[in-house]
Amino acid sequence: MFPEIPERVALTLAGHTHGGQVAIPLLRRPMLPSYYGERYARGHIVEHGRHLLVSSGLGTSGLPIRLLAPPEVLVVRLRNSEVTSSV
């Protein structure tokens, strides 16, 4: 969905990816059920001046196992980008 987000949207937050859950190198990529592969699997992605933040979360799907996909909790602090001065 991120490539279709309008340009006026500066930040997109996403989650529930489990970080791929089982990230075995060389096997993981063909197993991902995404047209984009690992492009949006986790982390901070910047494309065309727009930001996407994808959390891999804490949980699992199916078997309660995570391999090379550590759980994470992200704290996002939003601030006004305008500089205000007091006179």
Side-chain angles (χ1 to χ4, degrees), residues 22-69:
V22 177
I24 300 171
L26 302 178
L27 291 178
R28 176 186 167 144
R29 188 174 299 254
M31 300 291 287
L32 283 175
S34 170
Y35 174 79
Y36 298 102
E38 293 188 47
R39 183 171 165 186
Y40 305 118
R42 72 169 83 92
H44 180 207
I45 298 101
V46 180
E47 290 183 358
H48 308 293
R50 297 175 302 129
H51 296 259
L52 170 64
L53 185 59
V54 182
S55 167
S56 62
L58 296 172
T60 59
S61 177
L63 296 174
I65 185 172
R66 291 179 80 122
L67 179 64
L68 300 175

